[in-house]
């Protein structure tokens, strides 16, 4: 049976704002019906690395928070610590970054709690069945919540191809140890003839796995590398490469298995939003965001994380590449995500999530409050 995906477009008019549209999606997807008084409702989002401005607006999140509060449930905003260096790899920095972007009580209406604690070591191992992994190390605050609402910014991703609800669940709800498991197949190497010797990769590597040779060329110690992928993103001449085709598929499969772990014990109490606005070519983990790859599309809500991600991806593919963006030359129907990350087949995460029983790629769109 097809899964229902509620969709509102990005157009607005006086009297119908995006905030009104968020309210309408909450109503249509029966957010109220899945919550009870006394529930702890984790609202999983990505606060955005400082420097990035394409994250979901906290004012949109506030509309969901207010709906949750009306049910008597206690909402809290949450995300987990990153593997890579930056401004979100411990709870202190993460909290400051969240507050900088408005993910706090004042703007978003609920407290921000880092799901896996001060250093990313607070997690609960939950069993997973049907895949390669036998357990998932899920951030304890997310595990302990009785309901989970994922609000994902839908965009491209350097290794998963797309970043939507499945990624927000699988990677986003994992503790640092869980992220390490998912990244364990990522093993970058430096093509030294192109190395500028700038040292950016050394500066950012959280595992001190990179050093200079006598010729001042970067080299990676594979025994120390934790596979976070930070150096791949940092190198200005992209001379650090990975065996992407194999490793990105493995990562996506593990991510889908972790997504199953993230919803463990929450049957009937999970809801997903994909915000398809400012669709950046890369993740909000980057400290910058390039020109959106397509015009703003809208917002979706669904109980099915596979259906909503496939529906969002198909909307992006159906749109024309935005002029001046990295895919400005691409027409309607062309696969913009594959153009951005040629070695990553983003459908792997979807098909594996289907296998894991998380949902279906067969979806039916119901349009809500269209303008
Ligand atoms: S060498 Fe390994 S641990 Fe260091 S930044 Fe690169 S991927 Fe991360
Ligand atoms: S960031 Fe790239 S160019 Fe700079 S030292 Fe590292 S490998 Fe070389």
């Amino acid at each position: 049976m097809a899964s229902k995906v509620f969709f509102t477009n990005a157009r607005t008019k006086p009297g119908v704002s995006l905030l009104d549209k968020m309210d309408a999606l909450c109503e249509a997807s029966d957010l109220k019906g899945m919550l009870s008084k006394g529930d702890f409702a984790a609202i999983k989002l990505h606060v955005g690395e400082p420097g990035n401005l394409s994250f979901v607006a906290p004012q949109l999140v506030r509309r969901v928070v207010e709906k949750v509060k009306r049910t008597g449930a206690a909402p809290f905003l949450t995300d987990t610590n990153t593997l890579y260096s930056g401004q979100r790899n411990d709870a202190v920095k993460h909290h400051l970054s969240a507050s900088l972007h408005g993910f706090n009580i004042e703007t978003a209406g609920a407290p921000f709690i880092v799901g896996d604690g001060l250093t990313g070591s607070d997690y609960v191992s939950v069993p997973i069945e049907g895949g390669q992994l036998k357990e998932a190390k899920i951030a304890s605050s997310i595990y302990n919540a009785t309901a989970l609402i994922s609000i994902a910014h839908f965009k491209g991703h350097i290794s998963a191809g797309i970043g939507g609800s499945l990624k927000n669940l699988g990677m986003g709800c994992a503790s640092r140890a869980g992220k390490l498991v998912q990244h364990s197949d990522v093993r970058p190497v430096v093509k030294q003839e192109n190395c500028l010797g700038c040292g950016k990769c050394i500066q950012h590597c959280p595992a001190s796995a990179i050093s200079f040779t006598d010729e001042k060329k970067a080299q990676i110690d594979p025994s120390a590398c934790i596979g976070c992928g930070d150096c791949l993103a940092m190198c200005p001449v992209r001379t650090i490469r990975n065996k992407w085709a194999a490793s990105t598929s493995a990562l996506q499969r593990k991510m889908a298995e972790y997504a199953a772990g993230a919803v463990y014990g929450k049957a009937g109490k999970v809801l997903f939003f994909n915000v398809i606005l400012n669709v950046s070519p890369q993740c909000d983990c980057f400290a910058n965001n390039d020109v959106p790859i397509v015009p703003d599309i809208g917002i979706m809500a669904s109980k099915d994380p596979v259906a909503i991600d496939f529906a969002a991806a198909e909307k992006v593919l159906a749109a024309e590449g935005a002029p001046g963006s990295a895919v400005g030359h691409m027409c309607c129907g062309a696969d913009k995500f594959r153009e951005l990350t040629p070695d990553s087949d983003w459908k792997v995460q979807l098909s594996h999530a289907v296998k894991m029983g998380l949902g279906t790629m067969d979806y039916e769109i119901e349009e809500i409050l269209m303008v």
Side-chain angles (χ1 to χ4, degrees):
M1 199 176 87
S3 284
K4 182 87 78 180
V5 175
F6 299 98
F7 171 68
T8 187
N9 63 347
R11 294 291 308 273
T12 65
K13 63 183 181 184
V16 184
S17 68
L18 282 175
L19 301 179
D20 299 321
K21 287 175 166 240
M22 201 67 176
D23 286 344
L25 284 172
C26 290
E27 294 294 332
S29 58
D30 194 27
L31 177 142
K32 196 168 60 178
M34 73 173 216
L35 297 172
S36 312
K37 190 172 181 196
D39 270 335
F40 283 116
I43 300 181
K44 170 66 184 76
L45 39 76
H46 190 312
V47 304
E49 188 70 14
N52 186 298
L53 295 175
S54 62
F55 52 87
V56 173
Q59 292 81 1
L60 280 176
V61 173
R62 187 180 186 111
R63 289 304 175 114
V64 178
V65 165
E66 285 167 357
K67 296 273 183 203
V68 172
K69 283 181 179 169
R70 273 180 221 144
T71 68
F76 67 95
L77 317 178
T78 190
D79 196 1
T80 54
N81 292 311
T82 61
L83 270 188
Y84 47 83
S85 58
Q87 295 305 307
R88 296 177 303 117
N89 63 349
D90 65 48
V92 175
K93 283 192 271 179
H94 208 152
H95 217 287
L96 292 170
S97 299
S99 195
L100 180 72
H101 289 171
F103 294 100
N104 51 28
I105 295 174
E106 291 77 13
T107 307
F112 177 73
I113 296 174
V114 177
D116 54 347
L118 184 62
T119 58
S121 57
D122 294 353
Y123 66 82
V124 176
S125 292
V126 305
I128 39 180
E129 290 176 5
Q132 176 196 347
L133 303 172
K134 298 293 170 235
E135 62 167 27
K137 298 169 167 74
I138 300 300
S140 55
S141 297
I142 296 173
Y143 170 80
N144 287 322
T146 50
L148 178 58
I149 300 166
S150 161
I151 304 180
H153 173 220
F154 194 81
K155 70 274 174 191
H157 190 272
I158 192 168
S159 50
I162 58 171
S165 293
L166 283 170
K167 179 152 191 309
N168 200 33
L169 278 184
M171 196 63 76
C173 294
S175 61
R176 281 170 66 90
K179 291 187 177 82
L180 275 173
V181 169
Q182 294 176 68
H183 282 89
S184 62
D185 296 287
V186 176
R187 284 292 173 269
V189 288
V190 182
K191 202 172 174 192
Q192 292 183 331
E193 58 265 39
N194 298 329
C195 174
L196 305 174
C198 69
K200 284 189 177 161
C201 54
I202 296 173
Q203 194 187 330
H204 283 90
C205 176
S208 302
I210 314 178
S211 59
F212 279 134
T213 62
D214 292 344
E215 294 75 37
K216 210 175 176 206
K217 301 287 184 185
Q219 61 183 357
I220 296 174
D221 175 359
S223 65
C225 173
I226 58 171
C228 71
D230 212 4
C231 54
L232 297 154
M234 287 300 156
C235 179
V237 288
R238 294 187 176 272
T239 197
I240 305 181
R241 308 304 291 248
N242 192 38
K243 290 177 185 164
W244 282 115
S247 65
T248 60
S249 293
L251 179 141
Q252 287 186 61
R253 282 193 287 272
K254 288 179 185 173
M255 199 175 82
E257 294 179 21
Y258 258 72
V263 299
Y264 177 81
K266 294 182 175 57
K269 285 186 162 292
V270 186
L271 180 63
F272 304 94
F273 293 90
N274 273 352
V275 178
I276 321 165
L277 306 172
N278 298 313
V279 182
S280 44
Q282 297 297 349
C283 183
D284 298 349
C285 295
F286 279 47
N288 67 294
N289 56 285
D290 198 6
V291 172
I293 58 174
V294 289
D296 282 349
I297 289 174
I299 310 175
M300 290 176 170
S302 179
K303 299 265 169 73
D304 183 332
V306 184
I308 195 172
D309 275 1
F310 193 40
E314 292 212 309
K315 284 275 187 200
V316 173
L317 266 50
E320 199 160 341
S325 75
V327 297
H329 57 288
M330 297 185 83
C331 306
C332 308
D335 190 339
K336 286 93 186 165
F337 298 116
R338 206 66 203 256
E339 170 80 1
L340 292 166
T341 48
D343 295 327
S344 182
D345 178 2
W346 52 269
K347 287 189 182 142
V348 170
Q349 63 195 276
L350 300 174
S351 53
H352 199 64
V354 171
K355 190 177 156 213
M356 295 298 296
L358 280 166
T360 172
M361 289 167 75
D362 185 13
Y363 66 87
E364 180 190 336
I365 293 266
E366 183 173 327
E367 295 183 340
I368 304 287
L369 207 57
M370 299 290 282
V371 172

